[in-house]
Amino acid sequence: MADLKAVQEADVRQRPQASIKLFWKELSAVVKIGIVNSNLITTFAGMWLAFYFTGERFLENLHIVFFTLFGAALVIAGSCSINNFIDRDIDQHMERTKTRPTVTGTMEPRRVLWLGVTLVAIGTMSLLMTTVTAAIVGLIGVVTYVFLYTLWSKRNYTLNTVVGSISGAVPPVIGWTAVDSDFHIVPLILFLIMFLWQPPHFLALAMKRCEEYRAAGIPMLPVVHGFEMTKRQIIVWVACLLPLPFYLFSLGIPFLIVATVLNVGWLLLGLWGLKMKDDIKWAKLMFVYSLNYLTILFVAMVIATIW
């Protein structure tokens, strides 16, 4: 009896911990924590470069750093939550999304929607603590992602990837405008880099998940026009990235070398795909390369200003 009682007491103690762990797991899935984290890298890079080019000191502006990163994280997380609410009918047809709480029913859809709206509202108020421009740029990202991408283009046009790239290119601009609201060529180039990076990244993913998108009725390019056209378009998008680092020449020769090597390497890998017979294997390589490309490039921008 004593042993049974001890087991029961231990079980009671573990239940709250298990519940909290499950809650955070489901919350992370709803807000797409991976997307939030990757976008915060580009947000930070944009903000860091703004400090560098305007001559402001990072440590003297930690309040701006906090409100920028906190606000951007919540705006992105809120947008993803609303996206999950809207897409719950098609997510059930895809292997990578069918376990989301909005599909399994472990989180009530209405609560997910209100969570998204609340996060966007709080995030916008946080960005307003920096500059009005940063808050407006953040809302542009929300409107583009929720309305132009999720509600309109995603289910109707193969250009959905291009439309979605607008919102994905906003984070570094949020970071910059939180420090400096005036026009500058650097945030424009950061926006273009992010905008051009996303189509080859997501088209490679679409090739990997082609049958899932087909089952969900989403008109991704490889679903509608096949792999060959998708591969050609990926190569064109990657090629468009080649000249952009040279507009950031003030970051120094080492950065230009790193950026150019990354671009040329990605282009060569893309061209290799024209001869490679295993399209899915090539798509996986392109997808992994794109993830490493983004991280290395934006970290290199920060490191270049420290030297």
Side-chain angles (χ1 to χ4, degrees):
M1 288 294 294
D3 291 341
L4 178 60
K5 185 177 180 180
V7 171
Q8 291 175 336
E9 290 177 350
D11 183 55
V12 169
R13 288 195 298 268
Q14 291 174 358
R15 283 178 187 174
Q17 297 178 354
S19 298
I20 294 173
K21 185 177 180 180
L22 178 61
F23 170 77
W24 282 113
K25 181 179 179 181
E26 292 182 343
L27 182 63
S28 297
V30 166
V31 303
K32 301 183 182 180
I33 195 65
I35 292 178
V36 175
N37 290 337
S38 60
N39 278 287
L40 283 182
I41 294 175
T42 62
T43 303
F44 179 84
M47 179 177 56
W48 179 275
L49 291 179
F51 283 134
Y52 174 76
F53 282 102
T54 59
E56 296 288 338
R57 293 184 179 275
F58 179 82
L59 294 179
E60 294 177 0
N61 292 280
L62 291 179
H63 61 293
I64 294 179
V65 175
F66 171 78
F67 286 120
T68 302
L69 295 181
F70 182 70
L74 293 190
V75 166
I76 296 166
S79 300
C80 290
S81 297
I82 298 172
N83 170 271
N84 266 332
F85 167 78
I86 297 170
D87 282 350
R88 65 190 187 281
D89 62 323
I90 58 177
D91 281 346
Q92 60 185 306
H93 299 292
M94 301 186 66
E95 192 67 30
R96 70 185 181 89
T97 58
K98 67 180 184 180
T99 58
R100 286 175 176 170
T102 44
V103 177
T104 61
T106 54
M107 290 187 73
E108 186 180 348
R110 185 178 299 179
R111 291 185 177 180
V112 172
L113 173 61
W114 282 111
L115 171 66
V117 173
T118 302
L119 290 176
V120 169
I122 297 174
T124 301
M125 287 188 287
S126 180
L127 291 177
L128 280 171
M129 299 297 291
T130 59
T131 67
V132 174
T133 305
I136 292 174
V137 171
L139 288 176
I140 290 173
V142 174
V143 170
T144 304
Y145 186 64
V146 173
F147 294 97
L148 297 184
Y149 171 68
T150 305
L151 285 172
W152 175 58
S153 65
K154 182 175 182 178
R155 302 176 185 231
N156 297 293
Y157 305 104
T158 56
L159 283 175
N160 53 20
T161 306
V162 178
V163 175
S165 296
I166 299 173
S167 57
V170 161
V173 183
I174 293 177
W176 180 283
T177 55
V179 178
D180 181 14
S181 297
D182 295 332
F183 174 79
H184 197 286
I185 189 65
V186 172
L188 175 61
I189 297 303
L190 296 181
F191 177 89
L192 289 175
I193 289 174
M194 286 301 301
F195 178 78
L196 294 173
W197 170 84
Q198 287 171 96
H201 169 76
F202 285 109
L203 288 176
L205 175 63
M207 288 179 64
K208 288 173 54 183
R209 304 288 186 177
C210 183
E211 296 309 314
E212 293 182 35
Y213 281 114
R214 194 188 309 278
I218 303 175
M220 298 299 288
L221 187 66
V223 173
V224 178
H225 295 292
F227 285 175
E228 289 305 313
M229 178 177 285
T230 303
K231 288 161 70 173
R232 290 196 298 270
Q233 287 209 16
I234 286 176
I235 292 170
V236 171
W237 284 107
V238 173
C240 289
L241 285 166
L242 287 171
L244 293 183
F246 293 94
Y247 288 94
L248 302 176
F249 62 89
S250 55
L251 293 181
I253 298 300
F255 168 76
L256 292 180
I257 293 174
V258 170
T260 301
V261 168
L262 286 172
N263 284 334
V264 172
W266 200 3
L267 181 60
L268 291 176
L269 180 60
L271 292 171
W272 183 44
L274 296 177
K275 296 182 179 181
M276 193 173 180
K277 295 182 179 180
D278 191 338
D279 291 330
I280 300 301
K281 181 179 179 180
W282 175 80
K284 290 179 180 178
L285 291 173
M286 290 291 284
F287 181 76
V288 172
Y289 191 101
S290 68
L291 292 174
N292 288 290
Y293 173 96
L294 186 69
T295 303
I296 295 171
L297 184 67
F298 277 84
V299 170
M301 292 179 188
V302 175
I303 295 175
T305 63
I306 297 175
W307 286 355

